Amino acid sequence: VQLQASGGGLVQAGGSLRLSCAASGLTFSSYAIGWFRQAPGKGREFVTTIGIGGSTYYADSVKGRFTISRDDAKNTVYLQMNSLKPGDTAVYYCAAGMNPYYDAGLYNYWGQGTQVTVSS
């Protein structure tokens, strides 16, 4: 199983980025996909997750600014991030699990992470 996160970069506050998580080696449509982030010196934080039926859940800190979506035909989940803030700076990881958990420990597979840096 492989999850490949991409799309990170450097952006000014107020800008946008779209992250992608491409999966292989698993029946993608049978897994929930979550996004987590980790800033320097901090623990891994839940950002958002999408279930197999398309149900979505967001952390309060990103609600209204981030949108998660999935394309099962392409085995890919997207994270559209708008109105980015310096506090969003972190390494963003995608993960696959049996349900759309908030707890990172319940996900089975993880990608390598992509760096998002938001400058003020």
Side-chain angles (χ1 to χ4, degrees):
V1 175
Q2 189 170 21
L3 298 177
Q4 182 75 38
S6 62
L10 173 63
V11 64
Q12 289 188 331
S16 298
L17 283 174
R18 189 176 81 154
L19 306 185
S20 297
C21 176
S24 60
L26 77 171
T27 306
F28 184 78
S29 59
S30 297
Y31 283 84
I33 304 295
W35 285 98
F36 294 79
R37 65 188 182 186
Q38 188 164 15
K42 296 188 177 182
R44 196 161 293 190
E45 174 191 23
F46 169 77
V47 176
T48 181
T49 185
I50 185 165
I52 60 175
S55 54
T56 58
Y57 306 88
Y58 297 92
D60 287 343
S61 59
V62 307
K63 203 171 292 183
R65 299 189 298 123
F66 290 11
T67 302
I68 189 172
S69 61
R70 65 187 299 157
D71 185 341
D72 288 347
K74 295 183 178 180
N75 285 6
T76 302
V77 162
Y78 303 99
L79 179 60
Q80 179 67 44
M81 305 187 297
N82 298 330
S83 302
L84 282 162
K85 305 174 181 180
D88 296 317
T89 295
V91 177
Y92 283 70
Y93 298 89
C94 60
M98 299 308 298
N99 288 292
Y101 303 115
Y102 289 75
D103 185 344
L106 296 176
Y107 284 80
N108 303 98
Y109 308 107
W110 288 83
Q112 86 291 355
T114 185
Q115 176 70 48
V116 171
T117 303
V118 184
S119 63
S120 56

